[in-house]
Amino acid sequence: MAAPPAPPPPARQEPPARIGPALVLFAVLLVALMNLGGLAGWNAGLLDGRLVDPDSYLRLLTILELREGAPWFEDVTPRLAAPDGLVNQWTRPLDLLVLLPALAIEALAGLPGREALVWSGILVSPLTHVAAILAAAWAAGIAWGGRAPWYAALVMAGTPAVATYSALGRPDHHGLIIALLTLGLGAALRAAMPGGRARDAALAGAAFGLATWSGPEALIVAVPALAAFGLAALLAEDGRPLARRGLACSLGLAAACAIGIAAEHRPAAWLVAEYDRLSVHHLGLALLAGAVFAVAAAAGARPRPMRAALAGAAGLAAFAALLALFPGTLRGPLANADAAYLALFHPTIQENQPLPPFGPGDPWEAAIYIAGGAPLGLLALWLALPGWRRDGRWPAALVLALPLLAGLAATFGARRFGMDLAPPAAIAAAGLVGLVLQARRPRSEALRASLATLLFFGALAVPFLGLRAQETPGSTAVRAEATARCDWTAMGRWLGAARPGVAPGAPAPVLIASDVFEGPELAWRTPYRVVATPHHRAGRAIEDTLGFFAATDPEAARAIAARRQVALVLACVARGSETIPAGSLAALLRDGAPPPWLAPVALPPGLSGFRLLEVVR
């Protein structure tokens, strides 16, 4: 590959739009509009006091435990995966973003602690979405100047994956991760520009480290951004400045990881490798990357073939060391998942499935996650590259292009990574309108403006057309009917008020529920410890829950109940009963013929779709 020519003095770039009150207000309005639209879809239950998903209830449970005096380093949630408790892989940054405002709400509004936590949890993700939009606007101003910040705001606000995971009523760490990754990319862009400074690269690494502390999927963006500095150092006339900035970025990442490890883990666990939450594995990765950049910096003035050989050998050695020290590296967070979860549950969760054509579904599925910012960003970088090669900004193009390509590959592998694709996509896509308006063809300025408008807004509309196409006639009514027949929120509220089987001063009884996804909400709303939860470290609890209700031998089910110390059994028999295996315990409960060791508990008429039974000892 031919090396880029030595850069001339940088071309004068149009000043970016100021990130002032107008842009802040624009970001707030965009997030408000996305959430108002979402109230008819993904977060409609919020109007009835429901949070969006099981993760939201688990997050509030862990924060409530901290609020009520649980040790800072405690990572076992005793209310789930009972009686052993669930090892929770989530870390504390988002917990503090929810807890501290909740304490202020308690003090200022006089609300009870649980209610204050709910309000803080409802609002936190939209606020991180606003932060991500402003970070994208800032980064787009660095990359493109002009009006690009406004376009970046539109792309970041209108990415369905980001909007969904940052919705009202969804206290989720992904919004925080996206905001930090976008800040990191902006700082990395500044460092990669002509005259960039190592200080900016260190700040980028620190932002990537904070994002990794919040969730290790941040590496999908952070590692390719680091790699961009390495590739640029190999291609540049003199690779030393870019290699030194890569070293600074690695050290910033390492410093943030070290601080996070000290803050998250007891000293005895500082050297314990975990892959689904911040640990020494991530610190080791950053330090090994820094060692490679140190070699690249030392060899940066050598001829390119020798430079590539030395840096390549250092990279291979570092990669081998990483695999030797941390064998689960290539499996990522799933290296800590329970085998039973991977076998029984992981393949059934839609967000973990590959996109078509690599997985099931129609082309609209891919359009929802991929169309929009990603193709606009690729097109913008392709159009900009000749000019950026001439004025020396080509390393910045690599900082955007490699995370964008990595995010695309990850999203095709699993839908959920569409969130991590959003930061590079939004920043890169923001330049397209300006590039088209400044192009030589078509000659007519009006035609160029029309083309830019059609490309930009047409691409942003495609994911929403896909969402509309996925809505089948009557699907909303079907969901509403299913909820009415087995309303788990109403069931949780009744259990929290009636408290059957709860004795003053005794340990909280264990409840096993037929729907694994409803476990965290039941644990939040009731005094019970719950067996079922859909999280990847709860594999044995999932296996026991499914085995209990599917058992054709009541004594086998009784053995599971004894091992799990179950006091109450809760099953929905009004929804999906046609899928209940004949002769199973679930079928016996549906038919009102439980085994003698289960005694029915009377329920109010509104909960007639459920069966609640007490285990007779």
Side-chain angles (χ1 to χ4, degrees), residues 287-563:
L287 292 175
L288 288 168
V292 175
F293 278 114
V295 172
R302 296 176 180 267
R304 290 188 185 91
M306 183 178 296
R307 188 192 314 171
L310 290 171
L316 288 174
F319 186 62
L322 185 68
L323 294 182
L325 292 169
F326 310 108
T329 296
L330 296 181
R331 295 183 61 203
L334 291 181
N336 286 110
D338 293 344
Y341 166 86
L342 292 174
L344 298 171
F345 212 67
H346 185 76
T348 69
I349 300 176
Q350 186 181 19
E351 69 174 19
N352 296 327
Q353 303 307 305
L355 284 174
F358 306 105
D362 59 56
W364 282 116
E365 299 257 0
I368 293 168
Y369 291 90
I370 298 299
L376 288 176
L378 290 173
L379 179 58
L381 290 174
W382 180 70
L383 292 174
L385 187 57
W388 284 22
R389 280 172 59 90
R390 288 191 299 272
D391 65 17
R393 287 187 288 164
W394 60 270
L398 291 176
V399 167
L400 283 178
L402 294 192
L404 183 53
L405 293 172
L408 276 169
T411 305
F412 272 108
R415 291 165 165 83
R416 66 192 304 264
F417 296 126
M419 295 171 293
D420 305 288
L421 173 62
I427 298 167
L432 183 69
V433 173
L435 289 167
V436 174
L437 291 177
Q438 296 166 14
R440 295 180 180 179
R441 296 181 185 278
R443 294 183 182 276
S444 167
E445 184 176 339
L447 283 177
R448 292 198 303 272
S450 298
L451 179 60
T453 301
L454 180 64
L455 282 172
F456 186 80
F457 290 100
L460 290 189
V462 170
F464 293 94
L465 293 175
L467 288 170
R468 186 61 179 250
Q470 293 289 301
E471 281 289 330
T472 58
S475 58
T476 302
V478 169
R479 287 196 298 268
E481 181 185 357
T483 299
R485 294 170 68 194
C486 267
D487 189 332
W488 288 88
T489 297
M491 185 74 224
R493 288 170 176 159
W494 182 83
L495 284 170
R499 304 164 69 91
V502 176
V510 175
L511 180 149
I512 189 167
S514 60
D515 192 329
V516 171
F517 286 97
E518 304 298 339
E521 182 175 1
L522 291 173
W524 169 256
R525 295 189 183 278
T526 76
Y528 304 101
R529 293 175 290 159
V530 182
V531 175
T533 182
H535 296 90
H536 71 262
R537 291 205 184 196
R540 300 246 352 237
I542 293 170
E543 184 177 35
D544 281 348
T545 298
L546 298 178
F548 178 83
F549 288 99
T552 54
D553 179 2
E555 289 305 310
R558 189 176 189 178
I560 294 173
R563 186 170 68 251

